[in-house]
Amino acid sequence: MLRAPSSGRFYTRPSPQKPPFFAVGDILEQGHTVCLLEVMKTFHRVTYGDPTLPERAKVIAVLAQEESDVTAGQPLLEVEPA
């Protein structure tokens, strides 16, 4: 489970005209950008990678809604080892 490192508004793409950073079924590796969190009009890039997560993982489901407010620790993605 990939969790939000902080509270903010959740975005899976860099802008409305750009494709998402990933799709369900994609393989994520350490350093792969998974989303942006907007906090007080500042965008923070969230990357895949944490000692508690597998080095490579397949995205099973997106658990947060696009443009929704999330809280620190909230699950964002369900992943499984790849």
Side-chain angles (χ1 to χ4, degrees):
M1 195 82 55
L2 180 71
R3 298 179 181 277
S6 66
S7 297
R9 182 146 304 158
F10 175 74
Y11 296 95
T12 60
R13 56 184 73 226
S15 72
Q17 302 79 21
K18 301 283 184 177
F21 294 115
F22 67 91
V24 171
D26 283 356
I27 302 298
L28 302 178
E29 295 184 358
Q30 301 289 324
H32 186 110
T33 300
V34 292
C35 69
L36 298 175
L37 289 179
E38 180 187 5
V39 181
M40 298 181 69
K41 305 286 185 201
T42 303
F43 289 89
H44 301 272
R45 187 174 298 266
V46 176
T47 58
Y48 180 81
D50 182 294
T52 64
L53 296 171
E55 197 169 304
R56 292 172 35 98
K58 180 178 179 180
V59 178
I60 302 302
V62 181
L63 304 174
Q65 293 290 324
E66 182 76 14
E67 297 186 31
S68 66
D69 291 330
V70 298
T71 57
Q74 179 177 335
L76 301 176
L77 302 178
E78 183 178 348
V79 297
E80 68 180 17

